[in-house]
Amino acid sequence: LSKLQTGTVNSHVARDGWCSVSASAPGKVILHGEHAVVYGALAVAGAISQRCRITARWRPADSLDSGSYSRSHAGPIVLNFPALAMRACLDSAELETAFPVAKASIGKPAEAAGDEPPFSDAELANIGAMAKRVADAQQFEEQRQRELCRLALAAFIAVYAWLKPPLLGNVAFLVTGKLPIGGGLGSSAAYAAALAAICEALAGREQLDLSRLEAAAFAAETLVHGRPSGVDNACSVRGGFIAYRRPGPPTPLLPEADSLLRASGVSLPTVYVADTGQARSTASLVAGVRQLADSANLGASIRRIIDAIDSVSESARRLLVAMATGTASSTDEADYLALVRLNQRLLDCLGVSHPLLDGICQVAEAHGAAAKLTGAGGGGCALIFIPGACQQQALLNSLAPACASLQPVQLGEPGVRLEDPQETSAEDEELWSKDD
């Protein structure tokens, strides 16, 4: 862990009349096992180089002499989320009244989908009502934009309720980064993980406890996705590569696999993420697969598809480790690409692909590469695995017309960390100046 992640660097910095603290967390890609993971199949995922960054600012008048945030101030909490065109205000006193005790200190932390729900029905209703009221005040014309705003607010409240930081009155939060929202790259988990790190820093806990952050991010994910697998929050908090099978906790792909894969990544296929630009609802897609799996007539067949995805994930895990550690055979890369294609066909059988995703996969295969959806499907993003023998530029040129965006990703990146608040981009400074 870096000095910033372990908290040995003071994150509270007075600058231009403000004190601030920043944190970032990576998005993720599910390499194998999406949807099937909910039913006990293996999932293999990796943290990516695209990150969500959140900075909190407050005036020195609201601080202790050390510059850290004081518990004594109530007032509005401003959440500025430019990617959603959102600038919303929450009432810190209302949050204090609704959640007087940190949920993290009550009972068993919910760190995986098999644990007890992190919030009671009454708490969920309360969080939902608060988030909806504030989101509706934004007066968005588009339903999707209003819904994304509501989910962002609900996740914020969930993290607050779980960790119970000091009163956050008169604190402004700015959310930036390079993660597309709603594309299957774990943007909501990255947002929740970065927010949790900031809440811990504001409470004076800069020695970040990753288990606490993971539980807080999972709690927020239940507000966004309903019944998350635990993969997204594990990747955003811990980074690297993980293998996950319910009900056990996510674990590294193998001891120190994340550093091995980063160090020897040249032996792995080049990976691009193609964003279709097609919006979709993760919760609806997960519910659709659940309906098929529970069907009296289709359930047994769906379970066999899930078992086949599990087998693909197990084989892919072995090949990834072999390629990363230099023990792969001459045919392993080709075998891995074949598994990627098979994984996509099985996901299509579950009804979670989309014509735009199918088109991307067909173009990739025609050029000797392999592609599959990542995340919930139904649109969102596809992963493209490009072997060394492929004419990469020709492939990218052919893919570009079918993609809203197409960008390379580094896999196995570090997890959540506190950042140096002074390392602020000119773009972020411009956003802050508008907010002042």
Side-chain angles (χ1 to χ4, degrees):
L1 299 179
S2 67
K3 290 183 178 180
L4 282 172
Q5 186 170 354
T6 55
T8 56
V9 174
N10 180 14
S11 58
H12 303 287
V13 178
R15 181 180 182 183
D16 299 329
W18 292 89
C19 293
S20 62
V21 60
S22 294
S24 76
K28 69 88 184 61
V29 290
I30 296 183
L31 300 171
H32 304 282
E34 46 268 277
H35 286 288
V37 68
V38 176
Y39 304 90
L42 178 73
V44 179
I48 61 175
S49 43
Q50 286 77 358
R51 303 177 73 87
C52 173
R53 177 169 175 144
I54 302 179
T55 300
R57 281 188 175 185
W58 63 95
R59 290 289 187 185
D62 296 324
S63 302
L64 301 173
D65 291 341
S66 65
S68 60
Y69 190 71
S70 169
R71 290 179 178 273
S72 61
H73 295 275
I77 302 169
V78 178
L79 183 58
N80 187 356
F81 207 141
L84 299 180
M86 180 181 85
R87 187 182 185 280
C89 291
L90 290 162
D91 184 344
S92 63
E94 183 180 15
L95 290 179
E96 177 74 12
T97 301
F99 302 101
V101 180
K103 291 287 294 181
S105 65
I106 303 174
K108 180 183 177 183
E111 294 178 346
D115 293 331
E116 292 297 317
F119 297 107
S120 67
D121 289 345
E123 289 169 334
L124 287 173
N126 195 9
I127 293 172
M130 280 191 280
K132 184 178 186 303
R133 185 179 70 249
V134 177
D136 287 347
Q138 297 287 295
Q139 298 182 332
F140 291 128
E141 292 184 3
E142 294 185 9
Q143 173 62 28
R144 171 171 164 76
Q145 193 174 18
R146 187 161 56 249
E147 177 65 7
L148 288 173
C149 176
R150 184 189 69 79
L151 293 174
L153 289 162
F156 184 102
I157 297 167
V159 170
Y160 174 91
W162 194 263
L163 297 175
K164 191 59 171 57
L167 278 171
L168 297 177
N170 304 320
V171 177
F173 293 81
L174 175 64
V175 184
T176 58
K178 303 297 183 183
L179 272 176
I181 295 170
L185 301 184
S187 58
S188 60
Y191 163 71
L195 182 60
I198 284 184
C199 287
E200 291 289 86
L202 289 173
R205 291 187 287 267
E206 293 189 7
Q207 288 287 104
L208 297 181
D209 181 335
L210 298 187
S211 294
R212 278 176 60 87
L213 299 186
E214 193 172 344
F218 178 83
E221 285 283 88
T222 64
L223 272 295
V224 177
H225 297 307
R227 191 185 179 192
S229 66
V231 170
D232 288 20
N233 51 283
C235 273
S236 287
V237 170
R238 299 185 182 275
F241 287 78
I242 66 164
Y244 174 61
R245 187 189 296 277
R246 293 179 61 199
T251 58
L253 200 59
L254 81 171
E256 299 184 7
D258 54 347
S259 59
L260 284 170
L261 285 162
R262 283 198 297 273
S264 58
V266 293
S267 64
L268 299 175
T270 300
V271 181
Y272 271 72
V273 169
D275 187 352
T276 65
Q278 175 66 41
R280 82 284 187 278
S281 165
T282 296
S284 296
L285 288 157
V286 171
V289 176
R290 170 64 66 182
Q291 185 176 7
L292 290 173
D294 291 344
S295 167
N297 295 320
L298 300 175
S301 297
I302 294 299
R303 295 288 177 163
R304 289 187 178 92
I305 294 170
I306 290 168
D307 289 343
I309 293 175
D310 182 40
S311 178
V312 167
S313 297
E314 287 282 8
S315 297
R317 173 171 64 172
R318 289 193 297 271
L319 289 176
L320 283 169
V321 171
M323 288 188 285
T325 55
T327 59
S329 72
S330 59
T331 62
D332 280 357
E333 182 181 68
D335 289 346
Y336 181 72
L337 295 176
L339 287 170
V340 170
R341 298 181 189 115
L342 177 57
N343 200 162
Q344 172 62 23
R345 286 165 173 75
L346 291 168
L347 288 166
D348 191 23
C349 290
L350 294 180
V352 296
S353 192
H354 185 276
L356 291 174
L357 290 166
D358 295 340
I360 289 170
C361 294
Q362 290 165 9
V363 171
E365 192 163 345
H367 284 77
K372 61 176 289 292
L373 67 85
T374 183
C381 292
L383 284 179
I384 302 161
F385 299 83
I386 306 175
C390 177
Q391 295 294 319
Q392 180 171 309
Q393 194 55 54
L395 169 60
L396 298 179
N397 291 341
S398 297
L399 286 169
C403 305
S405 69
L406 184 62
Q407 54 185 325
V409 293
Q410 299 296 321
L411 300 179
E413 291 295 295
V416 67
R417 64 193 180 203
L418 295 174
E419 302 283 5
D420 185 347
Q422 297 188 82
E423 294 179 357
T424 304
S425 69
E427 182 181 359
D428 287 0
E429 286 294 346
E430 183 179 354
L431 291 170
W432 277 119
S433 66
K434 292 179 181 178
D435 208 44
D436 292 347

